[in-house]
Amino acid sequence: MKTTLKEYNEKSQEKSELRRSADNARYSQDYTTYHELTEKVKELDQAYFDKLDTVSVSYWIGGRSYYQDVVKIGKAYFCHGRKMTKGNGYRFIEEIPEITDKMAADMMADSYYY
């Protein structure tokens, strides 16, 4: 699905506000509001975020490597609604064909040392 950066940022902000409101409702033990808001988040995911173009990328943060499926809009990559730039801490971003089991195992083995 084609989208613009402005639309993606608006939808990401809307989703984060819905999640924040749902968390506040859960902590105040208002479970009916919590369930309504989580349903709105699911509807937003199905209507918009699940239809976006995703690619598999490898990147580094600090001394650790990560592999993840992220959203690609134009030439920019977005991870959880945040643009992946050097200023945000993402280094050596490369598109890869797919995330293999070995890559996931390497990340788990690396997490032992931290």
Side-chain angles (χ1 to χ4, degrees):
M1 177 175 118
K2 297 291 182 186
T3 187
T4 63
L5 183 59
K6 181 179 179 181
E7 181 182 14
Y8 180 76
N9 286 334
E10 289 172 356
K11 295 285 185 179
S12 294
Q13 185 173 3
E14 179 184 350
K15 184 178 177 180
S16 69
E17 288 173 4
L18 285 171
R19 282 185 173 170
R20 190 176 307 115
S21 298
D23 287 342
N24 290 339
R26 186 180 64 187
Y27 292 133
S28 64
Q29 297 181 352
D30 184 7
Y31 295 111
T32 55
T33 305
Y34 169 73
H35 289 297
E36 290 172 1
L37 292 172
T38 54
E39 284 300 317
K40 286 183 182 179
V41 170
K42 288 179 186 177
E43 290 171 6
L44 184 61
D45 280 340
Q46 291 173 352
Y48 184 74
F49 288 101
D50 291 345
K51 295 179 181 178
L52 293 173
D53 299 328
T54 59
V55 294
S56 297
V57 296
S58 68
Y59 58 92
W60 286 76
I61 296 179
R64 297 182 70 186
S65 64
Y66 296 92
Y67 306 94
Q68 194 166 7
D69 292 328
V70 298
V71 174
K72 183 175 181 179
I73 300 174
K75 293 183 178 182
Y77 300 103
F78 293 87
C79 181
H80 303 292
R82 188 174 179 196
K83 190 171 185 178
M84 298 174 73
T85 62
K86 287 183 180 179
N88 287 337
Y90 299 94
R91 305 270 191 240
F92 308 112
I93 302 167
E94 294 180 22
E95 274 190 49
I96 55 176
E98 68 179 46
I99 298 172
T100 63
D101 292 334
K102 183 181 182 313
M103 292 175 183
D106 288 346
M107 284 194 309
M108 290 302 292
D110 184 41
S111 68
Y112 171 77
Y113 297 105
Y114 293 95

